[in-house]
Each structure stands twice: as structure tokens, then as C-alpha cells.
Amino acid sequence: MKTTIEKLENNIVKLDIEIDADTAEKEYNKACKRLAQRVNIPGFRKGKAPRAILEKNIGAETIKHDVLEYLLPNAFSSAIKENELNVITEPAVESYNFEIGKPVTVVAKVELKPEVKFEQYKDLNIKVEEFKTADDAMQKEIEELLEKFTTLKTVDDRETTDKDVVMMDFEGSVDGELIKGGAAKNYMLDLEHSNFIPGFAEQLVGHKKDEEFTIDVTFPENYHDEKLNGKPAQFKIKINEIKEKVKPELNDELAKKVGNFKTVDELKADIQKYLDDTAKVENDKRSAEKLFETILSKMSVDVQPTMIEREKQALIADFKQKVAQSGVDWEEVLKKDGPEKIDEELKAEALKRIKNSLMLSEIARLENIQVTPQDLEQKIAELAMMYQTDKSTIFKEISKNVALIQSLTQQALTQKVTRFLLDNNKIEFVAEVKK
């Protein structure tokens, strides 16, 4: 096999491949035998029809296509390897010439990965706005903890307050007509954390058990039911029960209930560790984002429109799936935001993703950063913990999905390159970065 390459514009390489006549004819004869086993030709048993009869019945071009399907994958692979081509697309056949007794010539084109050049990606001095845990963070965590262990106590001797939970019957109407799905019996509502229409929960304050009354509210302009947008409504209310929240004391006994803690001090130490870890993760994230931004500004790469279009189409597919899962029609999204605006936003996001990916892979190549079996095992362990199952179950599932294995590999590589950049650049945390 002979191969010549010609570099064209836009990172495209033309491959001129020549396969010798003997190899081509041998594969042609093999193809005839394969195809003869699949087709029924009157007067012949399967696999017994001569080549000339087979060509007459199914056509020589069909046989040649079958031959090329067998020959070209290896031919392309050899050509790419011999010429050290860093391809990002499968070779696309432009033309071919296939005559029995003569060498087969094939012209194909393939897109190369753009060349990435860095001005600098190590030993940078970066200023990053530091994330600091709020002064009242510990107290808020404790309050949330106490909230989880709060119990409800029924009270009969007073009116409702904005901190209570009520059991109630309600029935809503607009312009005298009942609202579909706007009624319930013995419904529990936390007046302090209500997700009802604005003004609803507030008007339940100051009433007693068994009291019946009517409240007036107005649906928001952007309510999910267009028929109710901005409409005034009336709700008939009956309070069946008033429940008072009883928060526990923060003591050693509660600490034992929360987890494996003997004292309140141990519990607080664990909360503080969580807050410190959260702050570190956030600061690493901010540092990585700033590093990527700085390195990208010092990186030159020629990203072709074809790459952007492919990535954009992948984004659209993901976007469509997400909006479909949320019950929204894609055409409605286009109508609301405008196809031109969405197209521009997706192109910008596609370009950003491509540049980030090229940057990470090139740094990994330059620094010989590779994903090891141990790295993948760690990713599998993380998935097992997330889905609360064992590693062997996760491994069985991902072994069936090549795309998922590739995704996990890319995640692991991204983490390793990011860690390398954080360790090999100087990060200065500041209260505020001056623009």
C-alpha cells in the first residue's frame, strides 16, 4: 500500500491511498464468496454461484463496496499511524477508482486536531478572589441541624403565629369558579417556609383552631397556569389543627443522635471541618477557573468552524434532552428566546468547551500526564458511593458503555491536569480583584 498526504486549509489533510492490484483482487474474490452465502440466485445453491453470475445479479459495484469496507479501515489506520496524523474525525472518502487487475486508488479527507501553542502555562502569578466562610456559618449549620430534629406539638389555646404548622382545609376560586386542583382536605402547611402563592400563608396568622374564613390573594403574572396569571382569587380556609415547633437543645445527647459524636464539641469540630473543606473546594474551583482563563488568553489555536458546528450540535442534543425531561417543548424555547440568540450562545459555549479541551489535552501531552487504572478505580468508587452500591456493580454497568468509560477517563484526566496547574502556579488569594 502506498500513501501520500497533502495538507489543505482548515486543518484538513487529503489522503491518496493506493492498494496493489493483487491484494484488491484477492479481497474481491473473498467478497464474492461472502456475498454468495447471503443471496438467493435461481439455479444455484447458496455460496455456489460463480463470480460472473454473482456480478450479474447484484452488480460489481456492490461487491467493490464490500471490498472497500474490509480494506479501508486498516488502510486508513496505517496511513494515519505512518504519517503521525492527530485526527479528530473519521476519514471521509471523496472518490475511488477500482478496476480488477489494476491498483485501487482512494482519495479521502480527514480533519486534524488544531495545533496548540502556549505562551505560558506554568509559573504564573494569579490573583484570585478568596472565598471565606461567613462569620455566622457555624451558627447557621447548627440552626439547620436543630431544625431537622425539631418536633411538632399540637396546641389548642392560642391563635396561629408565623412560626407554626397548620393542618387545614382549603378551596380556591377565581371569578366564582373553582380552581382545578385548588382544593385539599387536612393539608399540612409550614407558615414559616410556605411555597404557596405570595400572601397566602401570611393571612393564616392570627386564627384559631376550627375557625373558618376567606382570604384574598393574587396569582403571580408568571404563574405556570396561564389561565391564572395575575388573576385575583379567593380561598375558603378552615383551620383543623395548630402545631407548634419544638426545637431541641444543643447538648451532648443531641450530638449522639446526630452521628458518632460523644460531645457537642466533637459535633462542632466536625461541622468546622465541613466548612473548611467546602471553602477549600470553592477556592480550588476559583483558582482553576482563573488559571484556565489566564492560560487561554496566552494560548493560540485555530479552531475551525467545522469543530464548532459539531460541538454545537452535541450541545443542542443535550439541551433538547434536558428541556424534554422538564416537560418543555424545544420549539417553545426557540420561540421564546429566538433561534439566532440561542445559536450564538451555543456557538460561544461550543468554542469555550473546545478551547478548554484542547488546552487540557495538550498540557497532558507535554507533561506526560496519563490516566492510570487506579484513577479509573477511584472514579468508580465515587460513583458507587453516589449511587450507594458496590464497585463491582458500577464496573459491570460501565463496562457495557464505551462512552461512559471515555467520559470517566476524561474527568480523571481533567482533574489530574487541574491539580498539576494548581501545584505549578502561584495563587495569591485577595479580598477583591481590581478590575
Side-chain angles (χ1 to χ4, degrees), residues 307-323:
M307 282 191 76
I308 298 173
E309 182 62 24
R310 285 194 298 273
E311 185 67 23
K312 188 190 81 172
Q313 292 303 322
L315 287 171
I316 289 174
D318 289 342
F319 197 5
K320 283 183 177 180
Q321 185 177 15
K322 287 177 182 177
V323 298

Side-chain angles (χ1 to χ4, degrees), residues 142 250-253 255 261-269:
I142 290 173
L250 181 63
N251 52 31
D252 293 347
E253 194 63 36
F261 308 109
K262 294 180 181 179
T263 65
V264 171
D265 287 342
E266 286 186 10
L267 172 60
K268 286 185 175 180

Side-chain angles (χ1 to χ4, degrees), residues 210-412:
D210 296 326
E211 187 176 345
E212 297 183 33
F213 54 96
T214 300
I215 64 172
D216 294 304
V217 293
T218 301
F219 281 94
E221 291 292 341
N222 60 345
Y223 194 67
H224 62 81
D225 187 343
E226 291 184 2
K227 295 178 181 178
L228 300 176
N229 282 354
K231 291 288 185 72
Q234 296 76 43
F235 280 84
K236 294 179 180 179
I237 308 291
K238 179 177 183 263
I239 303 293
N240 297 326
E241 194 174 356
I242 302 171
K243 294 179 179 289
E244 182 178 271
K245 296 176 183 177
V246 181
K247 283 188 178 182
E249 289 184 27
L250 181 63
N251 52 31
D252 293 347
E253 194 63 36
L254 179 64
K256 292 174 185 177
K257 290 180 181 179
V258 171
N260 190 26
F261 308 109
K262 294 180 181 179
T263 65
V264 171
D265 287 342
E266 286 186 10
L267 172 60
K268 286 185 175 180
D270 187 74
I271 294 174
Q272 188 60 55
K273 182 180 182 304
Y274 164 75
L275 293 173
D276 292 344
D277 289 346
T278 301
K280 184 181 185 308
V281 169
E282 177 61 26
N283 280 319
D284 278 352
K285 179 185 174 184
R286 292 185 180 193
S287 299
E289 288 176 351
K290 190 64 179 178
L291 270 172
F292 286 5
E293 178 187 325
T294 304
I295 293 168
L296 285 171
S297 70
K298 299 175 179 291
M299 181 182 92
S300 62
V301 60
D302 184 17
V303 180
Q304 296 303 317
T306 49
M307 282 191 76
I308 298 173
E309 182 62 24
R310 285 194 298 273
E311 185 67 23
K312 188 190 81 172
Q313 292 303 322
L315 287 171
I316 289 174
D318 289 342
F319 197 5
K320 283 183 177 180
Q321 185 177 15
K322 287 177 182 177
V323 298
Q325 289 173 348
S326 62
V328 179
D329 184 70
W330 173 247
E331 294 302 321
E332 287 296 319
V333 175
L334 290 176
K335 183 178 177 181
K336 179 182 176 182
D337 297 334
E340 295 84 6
K341 180 182 177 184
I342 291 176
D343 187 68
E344 288 303 314
E345 289 176 349
L346 288 174
K347 280 183 179 178
E349 178 62 22
L351 180 60
K352 180 181 177 182
R353 288 193 181 194
I354 290 168
K355 285 187 173 181
N356 273 325
S357 177
L358 292 172
M359 176 193 72
L360 289 166
S361 63
E362 182 63 9
I363 292 174
R365 186 187 70 82
L366 292 171
E367 299 296 337
N368 195 29
I369 299 172
Q370 298 178 359
V371 175
T372 65
Q374 292 75 20
D375 295 326
L376 282 178
E377 188 176 341
Q378 176 60 34
K379 299 302 294 182
I380 290 170
E382 290 172 8
L383 283 175
M385 183 177 294
M386 182 187 302
Y387 291 105
Q388 296 183 335
T389 186
D390 56 277
K391 290 190 291 184
S392 60
T393 300
I394 296 294
F395 182 78
K396 286 178 183 177
E397 287 301 315
I398 68 170
S399 62
K400 305 172 189 174
N401 191 330
V402 175
L404 183 54
I405 294 173
Q406 291 174 339
S407 176
L408 291 177
T409 302
Q410 185 59 44
Q411 289 176 31

Side-chain angles (χ1 to χ4, degrees), residues 86-112:
N86 195 354
V87 302
I88 58 172
T89 62
E90 294 290 332
V93 175
E94 295 271 302
S95 62
Y96 68 88
N97 190 1
F98 192 160
E99 293 183 38
I100 301 299
K102 294 182 180 180
V104 175
T105 58
V106 178
V107 177
K109 288 182 180 178
V110 64
E111 188 172 344
L112 301 183

Side-chain angles (χ1 to χ4, degrees), residues 143-144 146-147 149-151 192 244-249:
E143 286 297 324
E144 286 184 15
L146 295 177
E147 192 77 32
F149 284 86
T150 292
T151 57
E192 188 177 10
E244 182 178 271
K245 296 176 183 177
V246 181
K247 283 188 178 182
E249 289 184 27

